[in-house]
């Protein structure tokens, strides 16, 4: 008797990931309810630079410590329109200049960024406990000098890393275009679409390069998680609160995505399937204090990429920040990486911010880092970095942030053991 059954080959890890991704999509959209409500409060663990948190920060009523307040009527009208329709959009212009006391090329670098960002809540239940909608952000990033500020550190100063990670010369790009779905009063939040992994991976109240520290050393993983990964790519994120104190965040993105050609990322995500995966577990004494009192650990793994020319790799990140009183928030952050195209094999940052939630903020940070021999093909000297910034509001809609970065032993400039980089950042938003 013939045996008509065939033996199936075991599923590969990539095929399992794909099946899980489409299963999540099905569950998310199957459970969306048709009525709309606009009453939920954000509880997802996302960066202060994310669209939702930037919108809240822009529209927040702050202490009237500015020289004058304008456009308040526009803010009120925008809030009323959002309450009725679920749609809100803001725009800003960011400009920054940096000057170095010692450099291998140019001593001056300057760049600008124009951004339009917003969200459109489209579905939700009548109680407002679940909600879904689109989140978007597109930008024009441009340079004023020979090199944009993203390249100013490594090319001009000889610093291995980014002294300003988001001010490049990519021109028009789509950074965010994704669906955000929440359930159970934001205790479960899911993103899918064109996302930015730095919006949720190892987030920190002072990690925004638009309004806080400039240097990548005080951002995601203290610089140990990649360096070549796209900050706009096809992917998905799931944030779950286990209880009021413990949260979990898992994600996966396409490492071959390009924000300047975002439509191609859908193809590379499912064809090449070379991805970055992250998983985080965190503790906070309460959901409302998740940013200001937070301890978390993050692990990540990335596939090899012929496009980026990087090996597969993995790493571990740890972070603790805890506000004392109402204004003083010390932090300790660090990470370790094995391959994966990371800038640093190890990096540790510590410091504090004062009045991080107010209109005027002081930040002081110290860092030690060891450049990755695997990424750069040679052993480079350890770098020691300090950054001090002070952000203050000129008006209700304008911010000015002077800063100084002190670098000892810049790894790409062997002609000096020390350099200072002075910066001035301006932001106007509507």
């Amino acid at each position: 008797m013939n045996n008509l059954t065939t033996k199936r080959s075991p599923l590969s890890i990539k095929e399992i990931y794909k099946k899980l991704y489409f299963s999540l999509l099905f569950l998310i959209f199957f459970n969306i309810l048709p009525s709309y409500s606009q009453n939920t409060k954000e509880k997802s663990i996302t960066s202060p630079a994310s669209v939702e948190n930037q919108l809240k920060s822009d529209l927040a009523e702050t202490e009237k410590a500015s020289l004058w307040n304008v456009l308040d009527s526009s803010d009120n009208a925008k809030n009323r329109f959002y309450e009725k329709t679920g749609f809100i959009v803001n725009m800003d212009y960011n400009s920054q200049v940096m000057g170095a006391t010692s450099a291998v090329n140019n001593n001056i670098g300057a760049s600008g960024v124009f951004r339009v960002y917003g969200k459109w809540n489209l579905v939700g239940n009548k109680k407002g406990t679940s909600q879904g909608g689109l989140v978007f952000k597109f930008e024009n990033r441009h340079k004023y000098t020979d090199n944009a500020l993203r390249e100013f550190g490594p090319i001009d100063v000889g610093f291995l890393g980014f002294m300003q990670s988001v001010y490049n010369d990519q021109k028009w790009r789509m950074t965010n275009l994704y669906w955000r779905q929440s359930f159970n009063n934001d205790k479960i939040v899911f993103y899918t679409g064109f996302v930015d992994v730095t919006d949720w991976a190892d987030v920190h109240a002072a990690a925004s390069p638009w309004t806080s520290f400039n240097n990548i050393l005080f951002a995601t993983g203290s610089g140990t998680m990649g360096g070549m990964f796209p900050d706009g790519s096809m992917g998905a994120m799931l944030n779950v609160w286990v209880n009021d104190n413990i949260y979990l965040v898992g994600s996966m993105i396409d490492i071959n995505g390009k924000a300047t050609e975002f439509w191609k990322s859908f193809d590379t995500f499912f064809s090449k399937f070379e991805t970055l995966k992250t998983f985080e577990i965190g503790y906070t004494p309460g959901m409302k204090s998740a940013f200001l009192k937070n301890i978390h650990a993050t692990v990540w793994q990335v596939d090899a990429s012929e496009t980026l020319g990087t090996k597969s790799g993995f790493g571990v990140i740890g972070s603790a920040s805890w506000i004392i009183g109402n204004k003083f928030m010390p932090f300790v952050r660090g990470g370790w990486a094995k391959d994966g195209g990371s800038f640093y094999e190890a990096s540790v940052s510590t410091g504090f911010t004062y009045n991080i939630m107010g209109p005027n903020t002081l930040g002081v940070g110290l860092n030690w880092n060891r450049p990755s021999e695997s990424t750069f093909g040679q052993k480079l000297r350890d770098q020691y970095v300090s950054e001090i910034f002070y952000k203050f509001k000129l008006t209700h809609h304008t911010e000015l942030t002077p800063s100084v970065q002190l670098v000892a032993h810049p790894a790409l400039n062997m002609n000096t053991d020390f350099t200072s980089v002075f910066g001035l950042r301006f932001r106007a938003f509507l």
Side-chain angles (χ1 to χ4, degrees):
M1 184 174 181
N2 294 330
N3 186 357
L4 299 180
T5 62
T6 58
K7 186 177 181 181
R8 294 184 180 179
S9 60
L11 292 175
S12 68
I13 294 297
K14 290 185 177 181
E15 289 172 330
I16 292 172
Y17 276 134
K18 289 180 183 179
K19 288 181 179 292
L20 287 173
Y21 180 78
F22 283 114
S23 297
L24 277 172
L25 282 182
F26 175 78
L27 288 172
I28 292 296
F29 290 106
F30 182 76
N31 283 284
I32 289 176
L33 298 175
S35 59
Y36 169 72
S37 179
Q38 180 55 46
N39 298 316
T40 61
K41 296 180 180 180
E42 310 290 352
K43 300 186 183 74
S44 57
I45 303 297
T46 51
S47 163
S50 68
V51 168
E52 291 163 302
N53 286 332
Q54 189 68 76
L55 286 170
K56 288 196 295 182
S57 175
D58 292 349
L59 294 175
E61 288 296 330
T62 58
E63 301 174 29
K64 294 188 177 181
S66 55
L67 300 179
W68 65 88
N69 290 306
V70 295
L71 302 177
D72 287 341
S73 59
S74 173
D75 290 344
N76 294 332
K78 191 180 297 185
N79 272 320
R80 288 194 299 269
F81 188 75
Y82 176 54
E83 291 293 328
K84 292 180 180 179
T85 66
F87 180 82
I88 188 169
V89 60
N90 277 18
M91 64 181 68
D92 66 8
Y93 189 79
N94 305 267
S95 182
Q96 189 165 10
V97 60
M98 288 183 175
T101 57
S102 178
V104 292
N105 289 303
N106 302 304
N107 288 81
I108 300 294
S111 298
V113 182
F114 170 71
R115 304 189 299 170
V116 177
Y117 48 95
K119 61 180 180 177
W120 189 7
N121 294 328
L122 294 169
V123 294
N125 61 23
K126 293 181 180 180
K127 294 181 180 180
T129 57
S130 66
Q131 200 170 81
L134 292 172
V135 177
F136 59 90
K137 177 167 65 177
F138 64 88
E139 306 169 307
N140 185 294
R141 300 183 178 184
H142 46 275
K143 62 182 181 181
Y144 306 144
T145 52
D146 289 343
N147 294 312
L149 288 181
R150 184 179 171 94
E151 290 75 41
F152 180 66
I155 294 178
D156 291 323
V157 179
F159 168 74
L160 199 157
F162 297 141
M163 292 185 148
Q164 227 310 339
S165 60
V166 294
Y167 285 70
N168 55 39
D169 193 41
Q170 292 180 337
K171 301 301 190 293
W172 289 106
R173 50 172 278 156
M174 180 68 75
T175 304
N176 292 143
L177 186 60
Y178 61 85
W179 183 271
R180 179 191 186 278
Q181 183 66 42
S182 68
F183 299 100
N184 193 19
N185 285 318
D186 273 2
K187 290 185 177 180
I188 301 176
V189 176
F190 179 71
Y191 293 176
T192 183
F194 204 76
V195 295
D196 178 359
V197 67
T198 64
D199 280 350
W200 62 78
D202 186 40
V203 298
H204 177 234
S208 171
W210 306 102
T211 59
S212 297
F213 288 105
N214 294 284
N215 203 303
I216 193 174
L217 292 166
F218 302 102
T220 310
S222 293
T224 57
M225 195 179 87
M228 302 300 291
F229 301 150
D231 56 352
S233 187
M234 184 69 186
M237 180 276 284
L238 179 64
N239 174 200
V240 177
W241 284 87
V242 179
N243 53 44
D244 287 346
N245 307 116
I246 305 295
Y247 66 87
L248 306 174
V249 184
S251 72
M252 178 171 55
I253 68 159
D254 173 29
I255 59 173
N256 295 302
K258 293 182 179 180
T260 53
E261 298 176 310
F262 69 95
W263 57 90
K264 293 184 179 181
S265 187
F266 186 85
D267 176 61
T268 56
F269 181 61
F270 292 107
S271 59
K272 292 186 176 182
F273 208 74
E274 297 170 348
T275 61
L276 166 70
K277 281 79 68 177
T278 70
F279 176 77
E280 180 171 304
I281 181 170
Y283 168 81
T284 180
M287 296 177 68
K288 292 182 178 180
S289 61
F291 279 117
L292 301 179
K293 296 181 179 180
N294 182 286
I295 300 172
H296 66 254
T298 309
V299 293
W300 59 270
Q301 186 276 328
V302 64
D303 300 327
S305 171
E306 291 185 8
T307 304
L308 299 177
T310 55
K311 303 176 183 178
S312 62
F314 59 93
V316 181
I317 299 167
S319 175
S321 56
W322 209 269
I323 196 164
I324 300 173
N326 295 319
K327 296 179 181 290
F328 181 69
M329 189 184 74
F331 63 84
V332 178
R333 296 162 55 76
W336 172 86
K338 172 65 175 176
D339 300 330
S342 296
F343 278 175
Y344 312 112
E345 175 185 320
S347 177
V348 178
S349 299
T350 187
F352 69 88
T353 58
Y354 183 79
N355 199 35
I356 188 66
M357 302 304 290
N360 305 322
T361 303
L362 170 68
V364 178
L366 301 171
N367 173 271
W368 161 84
N369 65 80
R370 175 169 295 161
S372 172
E373 186 174 350
S374 170
T375 300
F376 299 104
Q378 59 180 311
K379 186 174 180 59
L380 299 169
R381 60 181 180 174
D382 295 1
Q383 299 180 127
Y384 301 84
V385 183
S386 175
E387 180 175 354
I388 303 170
F389 75 87
Y390 185 77
K391 182 198 75 173
F392 63 93
K393 287 207 170 191
L394 294 175
T395 73
H396 188 76
H397 290 262
T398 57
E399 300 168 351
L400 190 66
T401 309
S403 65
V404 60
Q405 298 184 49
L406 309 175
V407 182
H409 300 168
L412 303 179
N413 184 359
M414 302 303 294
N415 295 322
T416 185
D417 287 330
F418 183 83
T419 185
S420 302
V421 178
F422 296 90
L424 187 64
R425 183 176 63 207
F426 175 78
R427 177 173 179 260
F429 58 93
L430 299 174

